[in-house]
Amino acid sequence: MVVQSNLSTLNHCSSIETRKPATVLDSIPSINLKDLESKTHIMKACEEYGFFKVVNHSVPMEFIAKLEAQALEFFNLPQSEKDKAGPPDPFGYGSKRIGSNGDVGWIEYLLLNTNPQVTSLKTLTVFRETPEIFWSAVKEYIEAVKLMACEVLELIADGLKIEPRDTLSKLLKDENSDSCFRLNHYPPCPELQALSGRDLVGFGEHTDPQIISVLRSNSTSGLQICLKDGVWVSVPPDETSFFINVGDALQVMTNGRFKSVRHRVLANSHKSRVSMIYFGGPPLSEKIVPLTSLMGKQEESLYKEFTWWEYKTSAYKSRLADYRLGLFEKKTHQVQAIE
């Protein structure tokens, strides 16, 4: 299906970066969920990268194919039809602008609330403006991916020796879980060839605030992650697998043992990129603190105590590239004696 670009009025100046050639990361940790040692491999990946690929998962490929087809149908609608589901509040349809603090990208998207206990007027609007087959595809996909996300969190709990095993996964299963789902469409950008070695940003660098994110995209490249040494590396696409991001909340819950991964998406000059992301978040009232079972006798929390609502509210006021956890870190001032 050919998807028409409606983003031609994007202000390029605010979304072009000088290119620093990115290395292709050919050693991405690949976790086979059926492997008996998967928990060990997940632990290493979370500590080293905050990111890994999941293969041999339980999400049916027909769910993935159906949702991608429906997403492309939506994004191929006339702009006036898509605009009925926007502007985002933050839920709903948006294009070019990401959030309300000046971030822009070569992107259009649908952000949906996944919790039926919390009513979003914009999500309901999208429901009314799209066929039932679209919502059937969204619901069955989210249900399957949520189960996989919970399986991953329980393997993490096993690796960290956290009891009970559902300490993390129950936060996603809670009826008040503040999780959300995003469909991103990055149209091809032919103008890229005229940018003389510069990149057009599809979605700027950031970390995900939630506990865990589950990403799946089509076969178009563009995703990059930032390694510990600050080097950006390109992640080869794999449309049959999923990529897991450690989120800020999980970084805090492990007292910094796991690091939330900084990532971004660059536009492609020839092919459109479609991605689907499930963001697994806790209930708004949940206190985000290091888990007691992970703290040594002399170990102190690196972070102030806060609720997910407080962190989410702060994150929405920030720019994408901001270090959002910085406001919640404890500041230790050491006074050195001068002789």
Side-chain angles (χ1 to χ4, degrees):
M1 177 182 294
V2 177
V3 181
Q4 302 297 323
S5 168
N6 295 298
L7 307 183
S8 58
T9 59
L10 179 65
N11 180 353
H12 284 186
C13 294
S14 57
S15 55
I16 293 175
E17 292 186 350
T18 301
R19 177 176 297 173
K20 295 179 181 179
T23 303
V24 176
L25 186 60
D26 55 7
S27 59
I28 292 176
S30 184
I31 311 299
N32 180 347
L33 289 185
K34 301 298 187 288
D35 185 345
L36 295 178
E37 295 299 317
S38 59
K39 65 180 181 182
T40 302
H41 301 316
I42 289 175
M43 289 285 294
K44 291 180 180 178
C46 288
E47 291 174 347
E48 178 65 25
Y49 297 99
F51 177 86
F52 56 92
K53 180 164 74 172
V54 166
V55 299
N56 204 5
H57 53 79
S58 58
V59 181
M61 291 307 298
E62 57 265 30
F63 287 9
I64 298 172
K66 186 190 299 184
L67 180 55
E68 182 174 327
Q70 290 300 312
L72 286 171
E73 282 198 24
F74 174 83
F75 289 123
N76 203 35
L77 290 172
Q79 191 65 44
S80 60
E81 291 298 309
K82 290 184 287 189
D83 285 342
K84 292 178 181 179
D89 67 351
F91 300 111
Y93 171 78
S95 65
K96 298 175 288 187
R97 291 181 176 84
I98 304 170
S100 58
N101 300 305
D103 291 297
V104 296
W106 188 258
I107 187 176
E108 57 179 344
Y109 63 87
L110 268 178
L111 182 62
L112 307 172
N113 177 25
T114 66
N115 186 353
Q117 306 296 324
V118 181
T119 301
S120 162
L121 295 179
K122 283 295 169 64
T123 297
L124 292 176
T125 298
V126 178
F127 263 104
R128 289 195 297 268
E129 299 296 332
T130 53
E132 178 59 33
I133 188 173
F134 175 85
W135 285 105
S136 173
V138 168
K139 289 176 181 177
E140 65 185 8
Y141 178 89
I142 290 175
E143 183 176 341
V145 169
K146 179 179 176 180
L147 285 173
M148 183 184 68
C150 289
E151 180 181 1
V152 169
L153 288 175
E154 288 173 2
L155 288 169
I156 287 175
D158 290 342
L160 291 171
K161 297 180 172 57
I162 297 171
E163 293 290 347
R165 190 172 187 255
D166 68 349
T167 296
L168 298 172
S169 63
K170 71 180 181 182
L171 299 175
L172 273 58
K173 295 176 181 178
D174 192 296
E175 65 177 8
N176 293 313
S177 167
D178 185 46
S179 297
C180 58
F181 180 65
R182 188 178 182 114
L183 288 166
N184 289 334
H185 174 232
Y186 304 89
C189 182
E191 294 91 338
L192 266 178
Q193 294 179 334
L195 293 183
S196 303
R198 291 178 293 173
D199 289 320
L200 180 61
V201 175
F203 204 112
E205 65 174 270
H206 64 287
T207 59
D208 295 335
Q210 293 84 0
I211 298 172
I212 190 174
S213 308
V214 182
L215 163 71
R216 183 268 168 190
S217 73
N218 64 358
S219 59
T220 302
S221 62
L223 175 64
Q224 296 185 343
I225 65 171
C226 188
L227 303 182
K228 286 181 177 180
D229 58 5
V231 173
W232 285 94
V233 293
S234 295
V235 178
D238 184 345
E239 59 187 341
T240 65
S241 302
F242 290 90
F243 295 95
I244 306 294
N245 295 340
V246 169
D248 294 342
L250 188 55
Q251 176 172 323
V252 173
M253 296 170 83
T254 60
N255 205 33
R257 181 170 177 178
F258 294 172
K259 298 293 186 183
S260 55
V261 61
R262 186 164 288 269
H263 54 289
R264 66 186 180 188
V265 175
L266 302 182
N268 189 289
S269 60
H270 302 294
K271 297 169 62 181
S272 67
R273 184 175 190 270
V274 176
S275 63
M276 320 163 183
I277 311 99
Y278 169 77
F279 299 95
L284 290 172
S285 61
E286 185 72 22
K287 290 183 179 179
I288 308 300
V289 294
L291 297 172
T292 305
S293 60
L294 298 182
M295 302 290 283
K297 290 182 179 180
Q298 303 300 320
E299 186 175 0
E300 294 185 5
S301 172
L302 300 176
Y303 307 93
K304 306 171 187 176
E305 185 176 295
F306 56 91
T307 65
W308 169 239
W309 181 85
E310 290 171 327
Y311 188 63
K312 178 181 175 180
T313 301
S314 175
Y316 275 127
K317 294 177 181 177
S318 68
R319 298 291 299 269
L320 277 177
D322 289 347
Y323 178 53
R324 297 160 174 164
L325 278 176
L327 295 174
F328 297 86
E329 290 178 339
K330 290 182 177 179
K331 306 299 181 184
T332 303
H333 301 285
Q334 297 182 340
V335 178
Q336 295 182 341
I338 301 178
E339 295 182 356

